[in-house]
Amino acid sequence: MIASMGRLWQTVRPIRIRLFLGLLSALIASTSALLIPQALEWIINRLQADPTAAVVWTGCAMVMGIGLLEASLIWLRRMFAVSPSTTVEKQLRVGFYRKVIHLPVAFHDAWGSGQLLSRMMSDISLIRRWIAFGMIMIVTDVVTIVVGMVLLFRSSSLLALIFVCAAVPVCILAFRFNQRFAYLSRLSQDQNGDLATTIEQSVQGIRVLKAFGRGPTALEGFTAQADELRRTEVKMATAMATFNMFMFMLPELALGVALLVGLYETAQGNMTVGQMASYFATATMVIGPVRMLGNHLGQAINTNTALDRHFDVMDQSEDITSPEDAATPAFETARGDVRLSDVHFRYADAPDRVPDVIDGADLHIRPGETMALVGVTGSGKSTLLQLVPRLYDVTAGRITIDGVDVRDMDLLHLRTLTAVAFEDATLFSDSVRGNVLLGADQSLTEQEREDLLHLALTTADADFVHDLPEGVDTRIGEEGLSLSGGQRQRLALARAIAAKPAVLLLDDPLSALDTKTEERVTDRLREVLEGTTTLIVAHRTSTVALADRAALIDHGRIVAVGTHADLMRTSPRYRYVIANQEEEARHDQDIETLTGELDLREVSEATVGRPASDPGKEGDR
Ligand SMILES: Nc1ncnc2c1ncn2[C@@H]1O[C@H](COP(=O)(O)OP(=O)(O)O)[C@@H](O)[C@H]1O
Ligand SMILES: [Mg+2]
């Protein structure tokens, strides 16, 4: 507890003075409020002795003056604490985002996006509320209670003790309630999130649900989830109702008893009427902080949990970073000579008994060469590709570009040298232009960028974008126009091309294209990529045949390298893999066409360009 709060204290260093001023305002406000009962006592006692208008006016002026002072101090407290606390909140968020962006892919494999989202949003909000209110109010509560108790005891020790009898359980109850309520509201938040996910998934997968007749089952599942959320909400309401009941009953009971005792004491002459009035006024003022103290203590505990969760992420080590004395040779001098020497890699969560995913891979890709990477599903092709730009670091062996170990290069430089088109073409909610030029050289002129955009789109056969409602300015991705799998893939390919890397890594970028389109793209790629070292995971004979050489990967090892023709002749394993993949590719495409994933143009191309009885094609297979 102390540790996390201590770190928070470091974080708020720049705003400490303002926080202190906020605390000071809050303290003066609440202690000056306690002066009102004192003024009341003075008026009543004076009026009994000397009932003149002057006393009434003086008393009223005193009370109003104190009231005004309190109000302006409360305003000041907010001015001092709220705005700097939002600055700290923003800093925490930006720091968290920076961390999340810099953490290696392996971290993201292990952490769900929901977890990161709730840490980024709710936890940090909680921390902000603690800085702006909780931290200050907890001190104010304690001081008000202590001063209030002194004043109560000054009025009458007996009555003060009666007050204590109610105040202690109220404080404890408030604390316990706060804990329970925090637990329940977190639960209800999670359940709300689950419900939202279910709706989202059902709507996205509506075709699957309908086609498999799973609608009623989905409804049942959803009803159960909704019911669970309802129960949690009822629990929250019940807890709140019970809590409120005790919160009001206990102090009021105590005040009732105090009234009886007070009247008796006054009648006996042990107390003045003014003292009794001031006792009641003070007691009603102190009961507020007593109630809130429990709450604020609870808030402290919850904030501490939020802080632990926050620092949990912030303390993750960024093990893929630029070395201190990183080499950053001029980009223009890069030749793109890629060499893998006895490369090993295993995922962090891999069980001990399984061998490394990449298990001693050796490969040399010459500058400017296009190398096809061929292997069955799960042989490690995608993994191998991701090792080059250090999305993961090799666990043994080394990868060099132009003789320099990728781990000795400046990270940003390495990632400018390389570009990847991933298997799953992720697009951002942005225009086509923004998506394609994501990795493009920032220093290009407007015209150069435009030319680059068009070159990349044409090469990737993504000219369909010109038919979109707003051409290259059409918003696509999650919140924009939805595109078919094949269209997304072509944009991802265009993005990799527009980055103009020295080493291009393409993970099966053409798998969703029909054979005709694929051949066209491969042809254009060869022209545009003249001089760019390319490693391309390929499915089909046509793509492989266009590569300079092919490498066969099997169980994480490169088992054969050579031209397609050579390998077809000499390697039975290669022949087997190619034959199998041709089969698979055809099958995949049939499914794509069937599920209507492809836009009409693609479908027509697919049917025109890939007739089952195309004699020219049969020869290839
Ligand atoms: N992020 C990951 N975490 C753990 N295991 C993974 C991850 N990605 C892939 N794998 C495993 O590594 C192996 C190789 O996967 P991959 O490189 O994707 O093969 P390929 O691209 O050749 O189909 C598979 O067994 C797969 O289950
Ligand atoms: Mg793969």
Side-chain angles (χ1 to χ4, degrees), residues 376-378 380-383 423 507-508 537:
V376 296
T377 306
K381 305 182 294 294
S382 301
T383 307
E423 222 169 351
D507 196 351
D508 217 352
V537 173

Side-chain angles (χ1 to χ4, degrees), residues 143-279:
V143 173
T144 315
I145 293 172
V146 169
V147 176
M149 287 316 294
V150 171
L151 294 175
L152 287 180
F153 272 98
R154 227 180 51 106
S155 294
S156 152
S157 318
L158 188 58
L159 293 192
L161 281 176
I162 295 173
F163 181 82
V164 172
C165 288
V168 172
V170 161
C171 190
I172 295 173
L173 264 176
F175 175 75
R176 301 220 351 220
F177 166 76
N178 189 288
Q179 291 309 98
R180 175 150 175 82
F181 203 76
Y183 162 75
L184 286 174
S185 59
R186 185 134 225 157
L187 189 67
S188 113
Q189 253 179 36
D190 288 349
Q191 288 172 344
N192 258 310
D194 291 347
L195 213 57
T197 310
T198 306
I199 298 174
E200 195 188 343
Q201 279 188 358
S202 308
V203 172
Q204 275 175 357
I206 190 75
R207 271 183 281 185
V208 180
L209 284 183
K210 281 185 187 298
F212 285 86
R214 300 313 279 180
T217 328
L219 180 60
E220 260 169 48
F222 184 80
T223 312
Q225 264 185 329
D227 212 40
E228 221 172 300
L229 176 60
R230 189 191 73 90
R231 275 200 296 275
T232 309
E233 276 169 357
V234 170
K235 274 187 204 157
M236 281 168 84
T238 315
M240 181 71 105
T242 319
F243 169 70
N244 274 335
M245 183 182 75
F246 282 111
M247 268 312 96
F248 286 93
M249 194 174 71
L250 283 175
E252 262 142 50
L253 262 177
L255 289 186
V257 176
L259 185 62
L260 277 178
V261 178
L263 286 173
Y264 176 77
E265 288 280 291
T266 318
Q268 293 293 310
N270 294 339
M271 258 179 114
T272 62
V273 178
Q275 273 177 329
M276 191 158 110
S278 111
Y279 168 85

Side-chain angles (χ1 to χ4, degrees), residues 563-572 574-575:
T563 63
H564 174 61
D566 280 348
L567 290 177
M568 282 304 268
R569 211 173 46 245
T570 56
S571 167
Y574 185 79
R575 276 199 300 276

Side-chain angles (χ1 to χ4, degrees), residues 412-428:
L412 221 51
H413 174 71
L414 168 66
R415 289 173 181 172
T416 320
L417 279 183
T418 56
V420 195
F422 293 97
E423 222 169 351
D424 59 332
T426 306
L427 298 176
F428 292 97

